[in-house]
Amino acid sequence: MGKFKKAAGAANKAATPTPAQLEKEVMTHHAKTVYFNGLWKDFLTKACAMVGGISGYHGYAILTETGLHFSLAFELMSLCTSLLTVFFLHRISKPLLIFKLAFSLALIQLGWYALQVYNLRVHNVKGELGKDQIPMGAMCFLFAWASDRYMMRSEAQAQKATAENPVWADVQRVPQDDGPNPAVPINYSAYYRDVMDLFRAVLLSDELSERTLTLTEAVIECNAANYTAWHFRRKVLKALNSNLGDELEFCSDKALENPKNYQIWHHRREIVDRFNDPQFELPFIAEALDDDSKNYHCWAYRQWVVARFNLWAGELAFVDEMLEKDMRNNSAWNHRWFVTHHEPPTAIVRAQEIEVAFRFIAKAPHNESAWNYLRGWLEHQDLTDLPIVESTCEALYAAHPTCTFAANVLVDIYAAEPSPTRVAKAIEILDALRLTDPVRAPYWEYLQRGLPTAA
């Protein structure tokens, strides 16, 4: 998305950073530190869980093969140490006590293992442990402890730089008011608390400036779902008459990082509406759908862009491409319906779309998405005026007798113009459906009771 960015001259590169730029650098550094620390903590948690799982499996194998044995205690120590390490990393219930317990177990396990290796190498005496047993719990704890120390130090340094930032020296922070005795207070990080205290202050003063624009970015970095931050950011952008191309670049990054966040998609819609230039939108949406082809927010935004800027040309080709990738993509079928109905569809369009539905049904007869699309075109229509639908469904049902969708459409067609032969065919199909689809047997019985009397 570099198209949004302006080329910077050599003079700009050599210029001294402004206070707003320095503030942005400080807050961005802290936000990234917290973010990557969180990712690393998640990795360590999963690693500890894996160690605990392996130790538990080994312990179970030892118990079933040899019963109670010293080697079983060794695996149980690994299991307990990995569990305590997770509690320590997330500071769950008395972290100092948990650390001491984990540290003690790690020392005992390491000592035990060292003694085993010493006796084997020096005295050629085999100990209680198996040859494949290693102190995984102790190793996991020591690595997690070293990582935790580094994360705490890096976050403290970033927090200190933020707290000492002179840009906000004149602002009296407004702390969150949870009342005198909050039942379940949230354990916010110091950085998040400081950023939100500043944000509450500028909301009260309604300060619309470069520094508050930077502050909204810091708030969004902490929580991209903070709709107040997005709303206030739009106010600041409008007051400063900021470059909306740069804002689209920022929004693109956030949307790809948080694709299911509806606040971001709404913000982009507001910016593009003000920008009044959709040239980058369809390529950006295609990029986002390439990551998640069923993202509801992305499809809804595409519908708005297409309708707002009259970009109907080429949309059916885009939908064809998406359906070729995944013919069960209900979002793509829904978009196709949206595109074909932006004007009242003609009989030609209707026939073409029915043919499209059957083309995809032929590839996957049990694909409910294509059948639902077909039913949309057939709804409130005189089915007897479409003999091709009847003959095609009969052929599909004959080739795939367990296809409930073909069977259901045929029953509706036969009931639309009843005759003794056609009603008998419908009853025969419904009887078969009760056997092939017993979960919905009451529904098929209900349809059979509602069949019209043959003329």
Side-chain angles (χ1 to χ4, degrees):
M1 301 303 295
K3 307 182 187 72
F4 297 128
K5 293 182 177 179
K6 292 183 176 181
N12 290 337
K13 291 181 180 178
T16 303
T18 64
Q21 290 172 330
L22 289 174
E23 175 209 1
K24 182 176 181 178
E25 289 180 7
V26 169
M27 288 195 161
T28 301
H29 170 66
H30 197 160
K32 287 183 177 179
T33 300
V34 174
Y35 174 72
F36 286 112
N37 283 355
L39 289 180
W40 186 244
K41 186 181 293 185
D42 289 341
F43 167 76
L44 292 173
T45 301
K46 292 174 182 177
C48 291
M50 184 172 66
V51 168
I54 294 173
S55 299
Y57 175 78
H58 285 172
Y60 177 75
I62 293 170
L63 182 63
T64 54
E65 290 177 7
T66 62
L68 296 177
H69 192 265
F70 279 108
S71 56
L72 174 61
F74 190 83
E75 296 300 335
L76 290 178
M77 290 175 69
S78 281
L79 176 61
C80 294
T81 304
S82 60
L83 180 62
L84 289 171
T85 302
V86 172
F87 276 61
F88 169 69
L89 282 172
H90 294 274
R91 303 298 191 267
I92 301 174
S93 180
K94 299 180 180 180
L96 182 58
L97 176 61
I98 290 174
F99 169 78
K100 290 179 179 179
L101 289 173
F103 187 74
S104 300
L105 285 175
L107 285 181
I108 294 172
Q109 190 177 45
L110 286 173
W112 189 352
Y113 183 75
L115 181 62
Q116 166 96 356
V117 173
Y118 174 79
N119 286 334
L120 184 62
R121 295 289 177 86
V122 177
H123 304 292
N124 199 26
V125 176
K126 185 179 178 181
E128 302 88 355
L129 304 181
K131 61 180 181 179
D132 60 340
Q133 285 187 285
I134 58 174
M136 291 192 300
M139 294 163 62
C140 178
F141 167 74
L142 293 176
F143 183 69
W145 179 31
S147 298
D148 184 75
R149 295 289 297 174
Y150 173 78
M151 289 188 294
M152 288 180 63
R153 184 167 62 253
S154 63
E155 193 164 333
Q157 291 173 348
Q159 180 183 337
K160 182 179 179 182
T162 304
E164 294 175 353
N165 189 354
V167 175
W168 296 102
D170 62 315
V171 177
Q172 181 66 39
R173 289 160 170 75
V174 178
Q176 179 171 306
D177 184 9
D178 289 330
N181 298 300
V184 186
I186 300 175
N187 186 24
Y188 298 116
S189 69
Y191 172 71
Y192 180 82
R193 190 178 297 111
D194 186 57
V195 168
M196 291 307 299
D197 290 351
L198 280 172
F199 186 55
R200 278 185 285 270
V202 300
L203 283 177
L204 291 175
S205 64
D206 200 30
E207 179 187 330
L208 308 177
S209 64
E210 287 289 348
R211 70 174 184 175
T212 57
L213 182 64
T214 302
L215 179 62
T216 61
E217 184 174 344
V219 175
I220 290 166
E221 286 285 352
C222 291
N223 178 14
N226 190 324
Y227 51 83
T228 305
W230 288 107
H231 172 73
F232 188 72
R233 185 176 179 85
R234 288 194 291 274
K235 286 182 61 177
V236 178
L237 288 168
K238 186 175 182 179
L240 299 179
N241 195 25
S242 299
N243 187 322
L244 296 182
D246 291 341
E247 183 62 15
L248 283 177
E249 177 73 21
F250 170 77
C251 196
S252 298
D253 294 338
K254 295 303 166 202
L256 294 177
E257 290 174 6
N258 306 272
K260 297 298 181 70
N261 186 317
Y262 67 86
Q263 289 92 348
I264 296 176
W265 290 102
H266 177 72
H267 180 74
R268 188 177 185 94
R269 171 173 169 169
E270 293 289 325
I271 297 301
V272 170
D273 192 42
R274 193 185 303 173
F275 195 49
N276 200 31
D277 184 355
Q279 63 174 312
F280 303 116
E281 296 314 290
L282 294 186
F284 166 70
I285 295 169
E287 181 183 356
L289 288 175
D290 191 49
D291 291 336
D292 181 359
S293 62
K294 300 178 181 179
N295 185 341
Y296 165 79
H297 306 288
C298 196
W299 282 105
Y301 178 67
R302 188 178 184 99
Q303 290 189 357
W304 175 82
V305 170
V306 169
R308 166 69 171 79
F309 297 101
N310 196 29
L311 302 177
W312 303 103
E315 278 302 284
L316 284 181
F318 174 76
V319 173
D320 285 338
E321 181 183 343
M322 298 299 293
L323 289 176
E324 287 298 334
K325 293 179 180 177
D326 180 6
M327 67 181 71
R328 293 173 174 80
N329 188 339
N330 286 313
S331 297
W333 285 108
N334 177 72
H335 191 68
R336 188 179 190 93
W337 181 270
F338 173 76
V339 173
T340 55
H341 283 75
H342 78 278
E343 293 179 346
T346 63
I348 295 176
V349 170
R350 178 167 173 254
Q352 289 174 341
E353 292 306 302
I354 289 175
E355 182 180 347
V356 168
F358 275 130
R359 176 160 55 87
F360 281 98
I361 288 171
K363 294 179 180 179
H366 295 274
N367 176 13
E368 186 175 3
S369 301
W371 282 105
N372 286 339
Y373 185 73
L374 174 66
R375 276 193 165 278
W377 285 103
L378 300 180
E379 191 174 345
H380 307 303
Q381 300 293 335
D382 185 356
L383 297 181
T384 59
D385 289 341
L386 296 170
I388 188 173
V389 175
E390 180 176 343
S391 61
T392 304
C393 287
E394 286 177 339
L396 285 166
Y397 184 60
H400 306 278
T402 60
C403 180
T404 59
F405 310 115
N408 203 352
V409 171
L410 276 176
V411 169
D412 291 344
I413 292 174
Y414 294 149
E417 189 175 307
S419 69
T421 302
R422 294 167 71 84
V423 171
K425 286 182 178 181
I427 292 174
E428 181 182 352
I429 291 174
L430 290 170
D431 287 340
L433 283 173
R434 284 200 296 272
L435 299 176
T436 59
D437 187 19
V439 173
R440 287 181 290 182
Y443 173 69
W444 304 126
E445 292 172 1
Y446 165 77
L447 288 186
Q448 187 168 338
R449 290 195 299 270
L451 287 174
T453 304

